[in-house]
């Protein structure tokens, strides 16, 4: 069996494409940010913060910067006072939405499975 080789894509090093995908969109917050941008379109920072109440301002800023560096979201700054900044999905970013929809469907199936098999208490 051939050894896996380290590959590079932009600022990421990885061994397989799943690993690269998780480096770009993985973690606790990025999928949720992408979900809101994909579902509701362009958002200002404050709107995203309201939509994701448990995220800190610092973490939201960090995650948005990483998604922008990876070409998944666009950041549009308007030259007005006070500053107005809007975030939206890029063409590449739109391609991840079906993947997130499938993850959501899997989560619903898991919720039903765990309820039926007594794995955990799921409340509405």
């Amino acid at each position: 069996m051939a050894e896996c080789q380290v590959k590079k894509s932009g600022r990421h090093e990885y061994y397989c494409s799943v690993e690269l995908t998780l480096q770009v969109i993985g973690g606790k917050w990025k999928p949720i940010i992408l979900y809101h941008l994909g579902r509701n379109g362009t958002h200002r920072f404050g709107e995203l913060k309201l939509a994701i109440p448990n995220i800190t301002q610092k973490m939201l800023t960090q995650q948005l910067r990483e998604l922008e560096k990876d070409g998944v979201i666009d950041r549009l700054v308007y030259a007005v006072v006070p500053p107005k900044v809007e975030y939206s999905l890029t063409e590449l970013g739109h391609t991840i939405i079906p993947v997130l929809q499938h993850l959501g469907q899997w989560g619903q199936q898991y919720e039903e499975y765990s309820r039926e098999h007594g794995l955990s208490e799921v409340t509405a």
Side-chain angles (χ1 to χ4, degrees):
M1 186 172 209
E3 245 183 78
C4 292
Q5 299 294 315
V6 174
K7 300 175 192 172
K8 280 193 151 201
S9 177
R11 58 192 191 93
H12 301 283
E13 285 189 2
Y14 63 99
Y15 287 93
C16 73
S17 56
V18 172
E19 183 181 358
L20 176 60
T21 302
L22 290 175
Q23 286 181 22
V24 174
I25 66 150
K28 182 176 181 178
W29 301 113
K30 287 180 185 177
I32 297 167
I33 293 166
L34 293 170
Y35 166 80
H36 285 288
L37 292 174
R39 183 173 181 215
N40 301 317
T42 300
H43 278 61
R44 293 180 67 179
F45 185 90
E47 293 170 335
L48 283 170
K49 180 68 178 90
L50 286 173
I52 313 168
N54 294 338
I55 194 169
T56 65
Q57 185 167 330
K58 178 181 176 184
M59 182 58 68
L60 180 56
T61 299
Q62 177 185 335
Q63 299 298 282
L64 289 168
R65 284 181 183 156
E66 289 179 14
L67 289 167
E68 183 184 12
K69 282 181 187 173
D70 288 329
V72 180
I73 66 170
D74 274 328
R75 179 178 185 262
L76 180 58
V77 180
Y78 294 90
V80 295
V81 177
K84 178 181 175 183
V85 180
E86 292 181 338
Y87 297 91
S88 60
L89 294 175
T90 62
E91 189 175 327
L92 175 64
H94 282 284
T95 65
I96 198 66
I97 298 306
V99 176
L100 295 175
Q101 290 171 335
H102 284 287
L103 285 172
Q105 290 168 356
W106 188 89
Q108 290 173 341
Q109 292 172 351
Y110 181 77
E111 180 182 341
E112 293 171 18
Y113 176 88
S114 63
R115 191 178 312 120
E116 291 170 4
H117 292 84
L119 298 178
S120 63
E121 281 189 41
V122 178
T123 58

